[in-house]
Amino acid sequence: MTNQNPTRVVTGEVRFSYVNLLKPRAPQFGGEPKYSVTILLPKSDVATKQLIDAAIEAAKQKGKAEKWNGVIPPQVAVPIHDGDGVRPSDGMPFGQECKGHWVFTATSSVDHPPKIVDASLNPIMDPTEVYSGMYGRIAINFAPYSNAGKKGIGVYISQNVMKTRDGEPLGASAPDAATDFGGAPQQPTYQQPAQPSYGQQTYQPPAPYGGQQYQQVPPSSAPGHLQSQQAYGQTQQAQIDPITGQPINGGVYGI
């Protein structure tokens, strides 16, 4: 069937990162909350990449007709980045999970929440089934924008998302208790002191339980004290654009 919308693409299987598909997230410094997801497209999926390239070109023509005063700028910001390269914002390499992939972020407004289904097209009701690191397919739309003098192509979630299978979760995870505390604690043992010979008994002050001496550490020198003081009063961390590495201020992802 012929695609009636040349700017819309349904991907092959991709991996999802920075998943905010169930609840929109507001930028730290103002702006509308948005649903968002970073998409890792394997470079081996040449067919999907060709569809995306064609959709970007179609979006440029749309920008020429509707937003850019009849001219396609010589430099149009495109949303697709090479996961084997470096981030355009700071020159730092992309994360290890991005290697061998094309990387881009798609968003959707609060008025258009994504519809998430499983591989059998059944709606996913369990929120724990939707997470960064899972694999799936997604319908996306490419559209031109003109923002603060910058002209480019944005990527938007075109409503439908399918989870095809589970994957290793991405993102920081807390270490287990054994890592933090070194395994199960050993119970202290009490040893009966040897009895001195008759006539040689001397008084010894009683040892603390288990024979261990304890010294109180002033709170100012306790580990983590300085960090907790520095963190005091902070109620929200800045939202970072996963593509550019910069705080999001209500603008377009990936620019």
Side-chain angles (χ1 to χ4, degrees), residues 49 177 198 209:
K49 182 59 164 57
Y198 179 79
Y209 179 68

Side-chain angles (χ1 to χ4, degrees), residues 1-2 24 33 43 61 65 80 92 120 125 145 164 180 191 195 213 222 253:
M1 183 174 64
T2 304
K43 290 184 176 180
Q61 295 300 324
I80 309 297
M92 296 296 294
S120 300
M125 308 303 294
Y145 67 82
T164 55
D180 275 343
Q191 295 182 351
Q195 295 295 331
Q213 297 291 337
Y253 280 74

Side-chain angles (χ1 to χ4, degrees), residues 86-99:
V86 297
R87 296 182 302 196
S89 59
D90 56 12
M92 296 296 294
F94 281 97
Q96 187 62 37
E97 71 278 5
C98 298
K99 304 303 181 184

Side-chain angles (χ1 to χ4, degrees), residues 82-242:
D82 186 349
D84 292 310
V86 297
R87 296 182 302 196
S89 59
D90 56 12
M92 296 296 294
F94 281 97
Q96 187 62 37
E97 71 278 5
C98 298
K99 304 303 181 184
H101 295 78
W102 300 106
V103 183
F104 54 99
T105 296
T107 64
S108 178
S109 69
V110 293
D111 297 328
H112 298 89
K115 294 182 179 180
I116 309 173
V117 299
D118 60 21
S120 300
L121 301 181
N122 299 310
I124 294 180
M125 308 303 294
D126 184 354
T128 64
E129 291 293 321
V130 181
Y131 58 90
S132 297
M134 71 178 187
Y135 291 84
R137 301 177 66 195
I138 185 170
I140 50 180
N141 189 60
F142 293 84
Y145 67 82
S146 181
N147 181 30
K150 190 172 184 179
K151 299 174 181 178
I153 305 298
V155 193
Y156 305 93
I157 303 170
S158 189
Q159 195 170 41
N160 297 318
V161 180
M162 173 190 283
K163 177 183 177 181
T164 55
R165 59 188 173 100
D166 288 305
E168 181 181 356
L170 296 174
S173 59
D176 57 26
T179 301
D180 275 343
F181 305 122
Q186 296 182 351
Q187 295 294 330
T189 57
Y190 177 79
Q191 295 182 351
Q192 180 72 25
Q195 295 295 331
S197 302
Y198 179 79
Q200 298 179 352
Q201 185 172 1
T202 57
Y203 174 77
Q204 297 289 339
Y209 179 68
Q212 300 179 1
Q213 297 291 337
Y214 296 93
Q215 182 178 6
Q216 184 173 0
V217 179
S220 61
S221 62
H225 178 76
L226 180 59
Q227 291 87 336
S228 63
Q229 284 185 326
Q230 292 173 339
Y232 181 78
Q234 296 180 0
T235 59
Q236 188 175 15
Q237 295 180 348
Q239 184 185 6
I240 302 300
D241 188 328

